Amino acid sequence: MKRKLLYVDAIREATEQEMKRDKSVIVFGLDVDDPKAIQGTTRGLVEKFGPNRVFGTPLSEDAMTGAAVGMALAGLRPIHVHIRMDFMMLAMNQIINVAAKSHYMYGGQVYLPLVIRSMIGKSWGQGAQHSQGLYSFFMHVPGLKVVAPTTPYDAKGCLIEAIRDDNPVIFVEHRMLHFQKGLVPRKQYVVSPGKARITAKGKDVTLVGISHMQLECIRAKLYLESVGISTEVIDPIWLSPLDIDTISKSTAKTGRLIVVDNDWISCGASSQIVADVTERLQGKREIRVHRMGYAAVTCPPTPPLEKLFYPDGPKIAQAAYRMIKDQKSNWLPRERKDLQEIEFKGPF
Amino acid sequence: MKRKLLYVDAIREATEQEMKRDKSVIVFGLDVDDPKAIQGTTRGLVEKFGPNRVFGTPLSEDAMTGAAVGMALAGLRPIHVHIRMDFMMLAMNQIINVAAKSHYMYGGQVYLPLVIRSMIGKSWGQGAQHSQGLYSFFMHVPGLKVVAPTTPYDAKGCLIEAIRDDNPVIFVEHRMLHFQKGLVPRKQYVVSPGKARITAKGKDVTLVGISHMQLECIRAKLYLESVGISTEVIDPIWLSPLDIDTISKSTAKTGRLIVVDNDWISCGASSQIVADVTERLQGKREIRVHRMGYAAVTCPPTPPLEKLFYPDGPKIAQAAYRMIKDQKSNWLPRERKDLQEIEFKGPF
Amino acid sequence: MNSKFYRSLYRIRRVEEEIARVYLIDKIKSPVHLSIGQEAVSVGVCEALRSDDIVFGSYRSHAFYLAKGGDLKRMIAELYGKITGCAKGKGGSMHLIDRAHGVMGASAVVGTTIANAVGFAYALNYQEKRSIVVSFFGDGAIDEGVFHESLNFAALKKLPIIFICENNLYAIHTHQFQRHANPNIWERVRSYGIPAQRIEGNNIFKIYREVSKAVKTLGTRGTGPFFFECMTYRWKEHVGPGDDFHLGYRAEEERTPWVKNDQVKRIASLIDPKKRQRIENQVEEEIREAFEFAEASPFPKDFELYSDVFKKSK
Amino acid sequence: MNSKFYRSLYRIRRVEEEIARVYLIDKIKSPVHLSIGQEAVSVGVCEALRSDDIVFGSYRSHAFYLAKGGDLKRMIAELYGKITGCAKGKGGSMHLIDRAHGVMGASAVVGTTIANAVGFAYALNYQEKRSIVVSFFGDGAIDEGVFHESLNFAALKKLPIIFICENNLYAIHTHQFQRHANPNIWERVRSYGIPAQRIEGNNIFKIYREVSKAVKTLGTRGTGPFFFECMTYRWKEHVGPGDDFHLGYRAEEERTPWVKNDQVKRIASLIDPKKRQRIENQVEEEIREAFEFAEASPFPKDFELYSDVFKKSK
Ligand SMILES: Cc1ncc(C[n+]2csc(CCOP(=O)(O)OP(=O)(O)O)c2C)c(N)n1
Ligand SMILES: Cc1ncc(C[n+]2csc(CCOP(=O)(O)OP(=O)(O)O)c2C)c(N)n1
Ligand SMILES: [Mg+2]
Ligand SMILES: [Mg+2]
């Protein structure tokens, strides 16, 4: 149980173990079989399972997603990989109009055990078209499941769960999480929908951090500690279906909710969570809520603007501080070097 | 000022007047030049302006949207028409990754005076793939404007505004509104972003009805009158940018907000509006909020299930009644024949 | 052979005529896209298939659904929105399915099932199954990028799939000439290294013969795909039960040769009148029963609204 | 002619070598996709254009940007993320633009600008302008549906556009053979009725000559489009400043003939050494100035984060 793995290796291991278990699991997508092996997440798979089970494709996001649907209809359990969420915009018709709807519109007769892996880019000039989250699109449409694990442990458990799930699952990775290290059991295990993870216990404010923003929330918590504020941090892990109970309960306890998203705010996951919790707690408990996410602009590649574009530990800490102490406070913690590398602890 | 027009004729008139005014306005898209002329909204235009300015296209949503972007870059003001929102899923890459971002990512050097008209289907077995709203996708991404006029008056004014706007505007029509009648001035006028319309004054509850749901909210208001509840109804008209001030103020007055969307709730416009108003009024005014929208399932074509799928006047009235009087109440008004046809009054 | 052809042709024609008749009394609250005039393509192709072969198609779905053996009762019930429908009333006329007979679905968005069919064919190869896939689509689907992406992939992987383009000259009211500078669909397809040909004249025998050859070749894996552009003609309006010559986008004379060349009549004339009468009686009886079944069936109960969103995994 | 070619080729080569050199000290915090080895395509094409002609391209944007006359200072400043960059630091290396010189932008999503270029060409026709459009893209873009949709439309409307496929054999690390059963891009294009040919050997003269002919023909409207598949080779890794033969997806020997056939050297040998020296000195000076300019320029101020989301309409 003490074994540490990188996130990418956790993904790789989950894939390999599931492929061994079930011959119907196959992996395909642009560059999955190339020397870079999708940051290493597909390394060695083609050698182990052969080019019929692991293959690169032409640049044809629309048809390849449609093909994944067809394979799933035929009883395979395809894992289709996109190296950027942004490129999924080319596959929206198949995802929204076909994959999400087939089980329902055929009266339950068919089902699609399909995983779509995709990555959010950040930094080093990713810019306008390589940095988007956009998973709220998939949370909007019934018939899709969405998961965005942040730790190597959850990456493995969620991917195994996603592969075994009989429905289309959008599996959201973040490039800045790919080389995070954490404890990962050797055996197979699942991290299922329905249970958000409380990653830090606290009593003054609830921070919900999605995808990479989970890390920033943990940083914020450490900054807030230094000013005597006790923070509860929650990682929803599965975004659809979403464990709103855990978030509601925590908010009922702390009276304050900040949702920090790795995406824009308008009609995003942060709006959904804040609206849901508000509806649930109204009349029961007075609360304060706040949404944070990308600035409402296109992502700029130049470093000084990019820094302003994203929420980060200090900014999140400031928002919590303001909510608790004083809306007008200018307190903003200085970035601490020792918080630059945060390793996920566990096992959970 | 007493002239009444159908919604479709208001659209047609706006287009024609703007084409006369400005030679750079062109109209294209599947079937715009065919005998049905997009429900009549493009009738006669090809005869008046010729096939270079008004033309049907191959079935190529992705490239035709990309072409619209290119035309706008070259200084034209294209109106590109899709007969269903659902088909825009094929054009998401150009809309989200290119149209929304060009002005920003080229540092303001280019701009895209582009209108994308699209229609939401309903009833008569439209089913899974001809019934979606999905405009929340466009509200999510910075760089796009979104408008969903509900009256013939606003249809004309908003379309003229959209054509003259130098940014990409997603213009959302609803097929059930197309044959609504209402007063429409002959002259050109604009209905600009920044001003939601209070379509009925009231004091007990605020109903925000988007697109076709505006009509259902007006029905709900009439049902509620009969039980002595006074309803304020708001039509946001422009969804992005959204006039949240008007909605907030009304909610501050009534203390109650119900947002009824023509789309799913999760990460939808209703979540956005509820979260925004909550953030603004917290600590100032205790309020109750509630979101309504499509049932969280794929749209079923069979009439009895389809009826359950959509919010309607009685269901909205019930939700308001419960919020005001008693959460457990079973009151549900019987559908009134005299409310089946609601004509928009005005001018506003 | 001829009587098999005739039964299938006659059945499709008569089912759709009945749909058109019943449509006027608003029992079918759903768009209907009739294939009247085009039946020979579906029948010619599907008669060349085995029952475990798979077909995918578009919203113009009645003909290939029935030709492949799809259940008639459940189809009509689906159009009526009844719980006994092939999709429990949740699909409607544009999303017919009958897994037991290899009808894997239909899409209301043009072109989408082409990619699904290609993926299914990949899976069949991978699973070492002997069946093959047929993908039906119209001339309008050619314009869509997904068609090309799908061809490219199918050719690359040499998949066991037959593409059938039902070229009825129009996408709604827009002629192929208004959409393609070069109306040579089969030529475009050949450039991918896919054997492709055009079959003129809605000729059921020719279609059957050519598709049968392709099916035979596909018995050996790694020999696909194949492509056929089948020229045909839609007699009725794009959607709905009526004629549409009054719209002016096409002249009634354009239809005349196709009506003269009606494959239902053609095959009828080739079989023994008594046999023919027997077939027709059986089909009429089947149709009567199917509409009665649909009428008598209940609508889905309210709880069905929320069923089938997700499949519970075991 | 030769000295014009040489100046442009040498300038692109040297700019990119400088980028590669500077990259190691992390001043450029942006992905860079170098065209070293491929310059002849951009130069051969752009030398055949007029300054009011328009080009669109992909993230591998340095060569066509410079070949079309794009401002060097503003390009390097853009890579450095400075406010003086051609997109104020908001575009980065993958979205170079210079409207004044007809460089209308570049996309990081493969294939997208092809459709934009087609729309632009439609507008030029409509506006009765004399200029034409060139759309640059890689062999990877051929796989995307939007390529086909765009060709079909351009052919239908006979648009004044020249499509240039820079076929460097690879999409990232994936060879064309792994993506196309039939590596005959030009043939696919011909099936749309578009004149299309492959130009072998990265030959700048041939490219210039053939494109010039097409440009001339396009002087008469209704004669387009044209298509050229220009065979070329990327010497460096897909993204970044280094070599990539260690990755194993291609052998260094594959590059050898292309290096032997280096068009920069080839043209260098054709011009008078003194003249050549003068050109080189001028270019070196220009490059030095450009990097100094970029270094010295300030980053965008904070308020720039929120500018340029929407254009204010007048
Ligand atoms: C992607 C998409 N775009 C547009 C439409 C609207 N539409 C419905 S049917 C149709 C014509 C399709 O023509 P074709 O493929 O030739 O089939 P046919 O109706 O002739 O059988 C169009 C454009 C659609 N359903 N899907
Ligand atoms: C739509 C899309 N899919 C995938 C990618 C990832 N990607 C970036 S470059 C590239 C290869 C493109 O190859 P090619 O078009 O030949 O251009 P080259 O890099 O060789 O100049 C890929 C797949 C992308 N940017 N866009
Ligand atoms: Mg057709
Ligand atoms: Mg390439």
Side-chain angles (χ1 to χ4, degrees):
Chain A
M1 276 298 252
K2 287 287 151 56
R3 189 184 59 143
K4 283 190 178 175
L5 283 189
L6 294 176
Y7 191 113
V8 292
D9 292 324
I11 296 275
R12 206 202 47 69
E13 183 170 275
T15 311
E16 183 180 332
Q17 289 178 341
E18 287 297 287
M19 291 183 81
K20 274 198 188 128
R21 186 186 61 78
D22 183 349
K23 199 169 172 285
S24 65
V25 178
I26 73 169
V27 176
F28 75 107
L30 271 172
D31 309 325
V32 301
D33 59 353
D34 89 352
K36 300 246 167 127
I38 315 290
Q39 311 253 78
T41 58
T42 57
R43 174 110 45 228
L45 297 177
V46 65
E47 291 79 3
K48 284 214 177 72
F49 301 105
N52 285 332
R53 281 186 81 181
V54 181
F55 57 96
T57 69
L59 285 77
S60 305
E61 285 79 2
D62 185 5
M64 291 302 96
T65 306
V69 167
M71 293 176 200
L73 283 172
L76 298 189
R77 308 185 86 84
I79 304 174
H80 184 216
V81 186
H82 293 275
I83 59 165
R84 284 290 182 294
M85 292 295 293
D86 314 67
F87 307 156
M88 288 176 77
M89 293 305 96
L90 286 159
M92 289 298 276
N93 181 50
Q94 289 289 343
I95 298 173
I96 302 297
N97 287 331
V98 185
K101 294 176 170 49
S102 291
H103 187 58
Y104 192 90
M105 85 179 179
Y106 293 127
Q109 281 173 84
V110 303
Y111 61 96
L112 300 181
L114 165 63
V115 180
I116 301 183
R117 280 182 54 202
S118 188
M119 281 132 235
I120 302 172
K122 178 172 179 177
S123 95
W124 208 259
Q126 298 288 298
Q129 299 174 333
H130 277 55
S131 58
Q132 294 172 93
L134 302 180
Y135 36 79
S136 61
F137 293 2
F138 309 115
M139 296 170 66
H140 180 62
V141 178
L144 299 172
K145 298 189 180 181
V146 184
V147 62
T150 61
T151 67
Y153 178 90
D154 286 339
K156 177 169 175 181
C158 290
L159 184 53
I160 294 177
E161 172 74 21
I163 292 169
R164 295 180 186 179
D165 195 296
D166 281 337
N167 303 284
V169 178
I170 312 293
F171 191 92
V172 181
E173 303 166 32
H174 194 291
R175 298 257 291 197
M176 307 300 276
L177 295 172
H178 265 161
F179 296 96
Q180 288 286 331
K181 240 188 178 162
L183 291 173
V184 176
R186 252 176 242 285
K187 64 169 186 2
Q188 279 146 286
Y189 58 91
V190 296
V191 175
S192 305
K195 202 76 211 89
R197 194 184 302 296
I198 298 174
T199 52
K201 286 265 178 204
K203 59 184 184 32
D204 297 327
V205 58
T206 301
L207 297 183
V208 175
I210 297 175
S211 183
H212 183 233
M213 285 301 147
Q214 176 60 210
L215 221 67
E216 298 296 347
C217 285
I218 291 183
R219 289 195 180 100
K221 173 197 123 76
L222 298 171
Y223 288 118
L224 289 164
E225 254 169 33
S226 71
V227 290
I229 291 174
S230 156
T231 310
E232 184 136 309
V233 184
I234 296 179
D235 182 349
I237 312 175
W238 286 83
L239 298 174
S240 189
L242 180 76
D243 173 16
I244 198 73
D245 280 347
T246 297
I247 300 172
S248 278
K249 266 188 213 139
S250 171
T251 309
K253 182 178 76 176
T254 63
R256 299 182 189 92
L257 172 65
I258 298 178
V259 183
V260 190
D261 199 6
N262 205 95
D263 198 353
W264 290 294
I265 291 172
S266 175
C267 298
S270 64
S271 296
Q272 170 62 15
I273 293 172
V274 160
D276 250 18
V277 171
T278 301
E279 279 182 358
R280 281 164 171 250
L281 296 184
Q282 60 188 345
K284 297 188 185 128
R285 165 74 154 113
E286 219 203 309
I287 58 169
R288 291 288 174 274
V289 296
H290 184 61
R291 294 168 294 167
M292 298 182 77
Y294 292 176
V297 305
T298 295
C299 179
T302 183
L305 297 187
E306 196 192 44
K307 175 114 186 74
L308 299 173
F309 178 77
Y310 291 105
D312 59 22
K315 288 189 237 175
I316 299 165
Q318 181 179 61
Y321 190 90
R322 286 183 174 166
M323 190 182 258
I324 294 166
K325 306 253 174 165
D326 170 14
Q327 274 304 338
K328 306 231 157 67
S329 159
N330 276 329
W331 179 75
L332 181 72
R334 283 263 288 285
E335 281 194 59
R336 268 165 48 189
K337 277 260 162 58
D338 62 315
L339 298 187
Q340 264 172 15
E341 301 244 323
I342 288 193
E343 213 178 81
F344 289 112
K345 295 192 214 79
F348 300 101
Chain B
M1 275 298 252
K2 286 290 153 53
R3 190 183 58 143
K4 283 191 178 177
L5 283 188
L6 295 177
Y7 191 113
V8 291
D9 292 323
I11 296 274
R12 205 201 48 67
E13 183 169 275
T15 311
E16 184 180 331
Q17 289 179 341
E18 287 297 287
M19 290 182 82
K20 274 198 190 127
R21 187 187 59 80
D22 184 347
K23 198 168 173 279
S24 65
V25 178
I26 72 169
V27 176
F28 73 108
L30 270 171
D31 308 326
V32 301
D33 59 352
D34 89 352
K36 301 244 168 130
I38 314 290
Q39 311 253 77
T41 58
T42 57
R43 173 115 40 230
L45 297 177
V46 67
E47 291 79 2
K48 284 216 176 70
F49 301 103
N52 285 334
R53 282 186 81 181
V54 182
F55 57 95
T57 69
L59 286 77
S60 305
E61 285 79 1
D62 185 4
M64 291 302 96
T65 307
V69 168
M71 293 176 200
L73 283 172
L76 299 189
R77 308 185 87 83
I79 305 174
H80 184 215
V81 187
H82 292 275
I83 59 167
R84 285 288 183 296
M85 292 296 293
D86 314 68
F87 306 156
M88 289 176 77
M89 293 304 97
L90 285 158
M92 289 298 276
N93 181 50
Q94 289 288 345
I95 299 172
I96 302 297
N97 288 329
V98 185
K101 296 178 170 46
S102 292
H103 187 59
Y104 192 91
M105 85 181 180
Y106 293 128
Q109 283 174 82
V110 305
Y111 62 96
L112 301 179
L114 165 63
V115 180
I116 301 183
R117 281 183 53 202
S118 187
M119 282 131 234
I120 302 173
K122 178 172 178 177
S123 96
W124 208 261
Q126 298 288 298
Q129 299 173 335
H130 277 55
S131 59
Q132 293 173 95
L134 302 179
Y135 36 78
S136 61
F137 293 2
F138 309 116
M139 297 169 66
H140 181 62
V141 178
L144 300 172
K145 298 190 180 181
V146 184
V147 62
T150 61
T151 67
Y153 178 90
D154 286 339
K156 178 170 174 181
C158 289
L159 184 54
I160 293 177
E161 172 74 22
I163 291 169
R164 296 180 186 179
D165 195 296
D166 281 337
N167 303 284
V169 178
I170 312 293
F171 190 92
V172 181
E173 303 166 33
H174 194 291
R175 299 259 291 196
M176 307 301 274
L177 295 172
H178 265 161
F179 295 97
Q180 288 286 332
K181 241 191 177 156
L183 291 174
V184 178
R186 251 175 243 285
K187 64 168 187 1
Q188 278 146 287
Y189 57 92
V190 297
V191 175
S192 306
K195 202 77 212 88
R197 195 184 301 297
I198 298 174
T199 52
K201 285 266 177 204
K203 59 182 184 36
D204 298 327
V205 58
T206 301
L207 297 183
V208 175
I210 297 175
S211 183
H212 183 233
M213 285 301 147
Q214 176 61 208
L215 223 67
E216 299 296 347
C217 285
I218 290 183
R219 290 195 178 99
K221 172 198 124 77
L222 298 171
Y223 288 118
L224 288 165
E225 253 168 35
S226 71
V227 290
I229 291 173
S230 157
T231 310
E232 184 137 308
V233 184
I234 296 177
D235 182 348
I237 313 176
W238 286 85
L239 298 174
S240 191
L242 180 77
D243 172 15
I244 197 74
D245 280 347
T246 297
I247 300 172
S248 277
K249 265 187 214 142
S250 171
T251 309
K253 179 178 76 175
T254 63
R256 298 182 188 92
L257 171 65
I258 298 180
V259 183
V260 191
D261 198 6
N262 206 94
D263 197 354
W264 290 293
I265 291 172
S266 176
C267 297
S270 66
S271 297
Q272 171 61 14
I273 293 172
V274 160
D276 250 18
V277 172
T278 301
E279 279 181 357
R280 282 165 169 250
L281 296 184
Q282 60 188 344
K284 298 189 184 128
R285 167 73 154 112
E286 219 203 310
I287 58 168
R288 290 288 174 274
V289 297
H290 183 61
R291 294 169 293 166
M292 298 182 76
Y294 292 177
V297 306
T298 295
C299 178
T302 183
L305 296 188
E306 196 192 45
K307 176 120 189 65
L308 299 173
F309 178 77
Y310 291 105
D312 58 23
K315 287 189 238 174
I316 299 165
Q318 180 178 63
Y321 190 90
R322 285 182 175 167
M323 190 182 258
I324 295 166
K325 306 253 175 167
D326 169 14
Q327 275 304 337
K328 306 234 156 64
S329 158
N330 276 329
W331 178 75
L332 182 71
R334 283 262 288 285
E335 281 193 59
R336 268 164 49 187
K337 276 261 161 59
D338 62 317
L339 298 188
Q340 262 171 15
E341 303 243 324
I342 288 192
E343 211 177 83
F344 288 111
K345 293 189 218 84
F348 301 101
Chain C
M1 203 73 253
N2 284 353
S3 17
K4 271 191 81 192
F5 282 7
Y6 186 63
R7 175 184 295 276
S8 189
L9 285 170
Y10 181 80
R11 183 163 170 259
I12 297 171
R13 172 69 54 88
R14 285 291 302 122
V15 166
E16 290 206 315
E17 285 175 351
E18 274 306 290
I19 290 171
R21 203 179 58 77
V22 169
Y23 204 71
L24 304 176
I25 56 166
D26 283 1
K27 287 281 181 183
I28 297 175
K29 292 194 171 55
S30 190
V32 291
H33 300 81
L34 302 182
S35 294
I36 292 179
Q38 304 188 194
E39 304 90 342
V41 182
S42 289
V43 176
V45 170
C46 290
E47 289 295 332
L49 301 179
R50 281 197 321 252
S51 76
D52 60 352
D53 291 335
I54 300 294
V55 300
F56 284 87
S58 78
Y59 53 87
R60 196 174 304 286
S61 56
H62 308 160
F64 75 81
Y65 173 96
L66 291 171
K68 186 61 177 54
D71 188 288
L72 177 60
K73 281 187 178 154
R74 302 194 63 197
M75 165 181 157
I76 303 299
E78 187 61 33
L79 267 55
Y80 275 66
K82 300 301 180 73
I83 185 71
T84 52
C86 60
K88 296 191 192 162
K90 293 174 160 188
S93 126
M94 300 195 283
H95 304 292
L96 298 182
I97 186 166
D98 186 340
R99 292 199 66 166
H101 298 93
V103 181
M104 279 306 298
S107 176
V109 184
V110 170
T112 46
T113 59
I114 303 175
N116 304 150
V118 162
F120 205 107
Y122 186 91
L124 290 177
N125 237 3
Y126 176 76
Q127 295 160 331
E128 297 177 1
K129 297 217 175 123
R130 62 169 195 166
S131 31
I132 66 163
V133 177
V134 169
S135 169
F136 287 99
F137 45 86
D139 49 296
I142 307 300
D143 314 3
E144 295 282 1
V146 70
F147 171 65
H148 300 272
E149 295 182 0
S150 300
L151 286 185
N152 184 48
F153 184 74
L156 183 68
K157 300 291 180 188
K158 305 197 187 317
L159 298 181
I161 183 168
I162 301 175
F163 298 102
I164 303 287
C165 175
E166 292 191 65
N167 187 348
N168 61 8
L169 305 182
Y170 292 93
I172 310 190
H173 311 120
T174 305
H175 196 281
Q176 192 189 354
F177 293 160
Q178 297 167 263
R179 298 179 286 111
H180 301 174
N182 220 356
N184 59 342
I185 295 172
W186 56 277
E187 243 180 341
R188 297 190 187 185
V189 176
R190 278 194 192 165
S191 73
Y192 291 88
I194 299 175
Q197 58 168 305
R198 177 186 288 164
I199 300 177
E200 303 282 355
N202 203 27
N203 184 331
I204 186 167
F205 293 122
K206 182 99 195 278
I207 294 168
Y208 174 75
R209 202 163 54 236
E210 295 301 324
V211 173
S212 296
K213 272 194 253 168
V215 171
K216 196 153 169 238
T217 307
L218 290 175
T220 310
R221 286 297 137 126
T223 55
F226 285 90
F227 183 98
F228 299 97
E229 178 185 3
C230 300
M231 303 309 291
T232 185
Y233 200 76
R234 162 170 60 75
W235 294 7
K236 297 286 183 181
E237 59 188 334
H238 168 70
V239 55
D243 280 347
D244 67 357
F245 298 103
H246 64 285
L247 291 178
Y249 75 97
R250 58 177 189 172
E252 191 157 358
E253 294 75 59
E254 192 181 67
R255 183 175 66 180
T256 313
W258 300 94
V259 174
K260 275 211 187 108
N261 178 33
D262 181 8
Q263 299 292 299
V264 182
K265 286 230 182 85
R266 178 182 178 206
I267 310 301
S269 73
L270 297 179
I271 49 180
D272 171 62
K274 268 212 257 103
K275 205 164 176 185
R276 179 180 149 191
Q277 193 58 55
R278 204 164 51 237
I279 290 172
E280 291 181 0
N281 290 347
Q282 285 167 351
V283 168
E284 294 297 339
E285 176 65 13
E286 191 195 354
I287 292 175
R288 207 182 43 72
E289 280 176 10
F291 278 83
E292 278 173 16
F293 173 80
E295 278 279 359
S297 294
F299 282 108
K301 295 242 168 60
D302 286 3
F303 79 87
E304 287 287 357
L305 179 69
Y306 288 103
S307 65
D308 305 321
V309 178
F310 288 117
K311 178 167 187 301
K312 307 265 173 302
S313 302
K314 66 268 114 185
Chain D
M1 200 77 254
N2 284 354
S3 14
K4 272 191 80 191
F5 283 8
Y6 186 64
R7 175 184 295 275
S8 189
L9 285 170
Y10 181 79
R11 183 163 170 260
I12 297 170
R13 172 70 54 88
R14 285 291 302 125
V15 167
E16 290 205 316
E17 284 174 352
E18 274 306 289
I19 291 172
R21 203 179 57 77
V22 169
Y23 205 70
L24 305 176
I25 57 166
D26 284 1
K27 288 277 180 183
I28 297 174
K29 292 194 171 58
S30 189
V32 291
H33 300 80
L34 303 182
S35 292
I36 292 179
Q38 305 187 193
E39 303 89 343
V41 182
S42 289
V43 176
V45 170
C46 290
E47 289 296 331
L49 301 179
R50 279 197 321 255
S51 76
D52 60 352
D53 291 333
I54 300 293
V55 301
F56 284 88
S58 77
Y59 52 88
R60 196 174 302 287
S61 56
H62 308 161
F64 74 82
Y65 173 94
L66 291 172
K68 187 63 179 50
D71 188 287
L72 177 59
K73 281 188 180 152
R74 302 193 64 196
M75 166 182 157
I76 304 299
E78 188 62 34
L79 269 53
Y80 274 66
K82 299 301 179 72
I83 185 72
T84 53
C86 60
K88 296 193 199 163
K90 293 173 159 191
S93 126
M94 301 194 283
H95 305 292
L96 298 182
I97 186 165
D98 187 340
R99 292 198 65 168
H101 297 95
V103 181
M104 280 305 298
S107 175
V109 184
V110 171
T112 45
T113 60
I114 303 175
N116 305 151
V118 163
F120 205 108
Y122 187 91
L124 290 177
N125 236 4
Y126 175 75
Q127 295 159 332
E128 297 177 1
K129 297 219 174 120
R130 62 168 194 165
S131 32
I132 65 162
V133 178
V134 169
S135 168
F136 286 99
F137 45 86
D139 50 294
I142 307 300
D143 314 3
E144 294 283 0
V146 71
F147 170 65
H148 299 273
E149 295 182 0
S150 301
L151 286 185
N152 183 49
F153 184 75
L156 182 69
K157 300 290 180 189
K158 305 199 187 315
L159 298 180
I161 183 168
I162 301 175
F163 298 102
I164 303 287
C165 175
E166 291 191 65
N167 188 347
N168 62 8
L169 305 182
Y170 293 92
I172 309 190
H173 311 120
T174 305
H175 196 281
Q176 193 189 355
F177 295 161
Q178 295 167 267
R179 297 179 288 111
H180 300 173
N182 221 356
N184 58 341
I185 294 171
W186 57 278
E187 244 180 341
R188 296 189 187 185
V189 176
R190 278 195 191 164
S191 74
Y192 290 89
I194 299 175
Q197 59 168 304
R198 179 185 288 165
I199 300 178
E200 303 282 357
N202 204 27
N203 184 331
I204 188 166
F205 293 122
K206 182 100 194 280
I207 294 167
Y208 173 76
R209 204 163 51 237
E210 295 300 325
V211 173
S212 296
K213 272 194 253 166
V215 170
K216 193 151 170 242
T217 307
L218 290 176
T220 310
R221 287 297 137 125
T223 55
F226 286 90
F227 184 97
F228 299 97
E229 178 185 2
C230 300
M231 303 308 292
T232 187
Y233 200 74
R234 161 172 59 75
W235 294 7
K236 297 286 182 180
E237 59 189 333
H238 167 71
V239 55
D243 280 346
D244 68 356
F245 299 103
H246 64 284
L247 290 177
Y249 76 96
R250 58 178 189 172
E252 193 158 355
E253 293 76 60
E254 194 180 65
R255 183 175 66 179
T256 313
W258 300 93
V259 174
K260 275 211 188 108
N261 179 35
D262 182 8
Q263 299 292 299
V264 183
K265 286 228 183 85
R266 179 180 176 209
I267 310 301
S269 72
L270 298 179
I271 49 180
D272 171 60
K274 266 207 268 151
K275 205 165 179 184
R276 180 180 149 190
Q277 194 56 54
R278 204 166 49 239
I279 291 172
E280 291 180 1
N281 290 348
Q282 285 167 351
V283 168
E284 294 299 339
E285 176 64 12
E286 191 195 356
I287 293 175
R288 208 182 41 74
E289 281 176 11
F291 279 84
E292 278 173 16
F293 174 79
E295 278 280 358
S297 294
F299 282 108
K301 296 242 167 60
D302 287 3
F303 79 86
E304 287 286 357
L305 179 69
Y306 288 103
S307 65
D308 306 321
V309 178
F310 289 116
K311 177 166 185 305
K312 307 267 173 299
S313 303
K314 64 266 115 193

